Amino acid sequence: MSLIFGIIIAALVFFFSNEIQEIMVSSGLRDYLVNWLQSW
């Protein structure tokens, strides 16, 4: 289930990457997600 969820998120990030990156970098969310993915 988590694999399917991850694929969906990856597709969304791919389509909206520029806008999402600007929002995530400014909010600090990107660093949190990187740490979370590395914990896998």
Side-chain angles (χ1 to χ4, degrees), residues 14-40:
F14 178 77
F15 286 122
F16 302 107
S17 58
N18 290 334
E19 293 86 351
I20 290 176
Q21 281 180 9
E22 291 177 10
I23 294 169
M24 287 171 62
V25 170
S26 65
S27 67
L29 185 60
R30 188 188 63 165
D31 293 332
Y32 171 78
L33 277 177
V34 168
N35 292 333
W36 179 70
L37 289 172
Q38 287 176 347
S39 71
W40 281 13

Side-chain angles (χ1 to χ4, degrees), residues 1-14:
M1 185 64 191
S2 61
L3 179 62
I4 296 171
F5 190 62
I7 292 171
I8 293 171
I9 291 176
L12 289 173
V13 169
F14 178 77

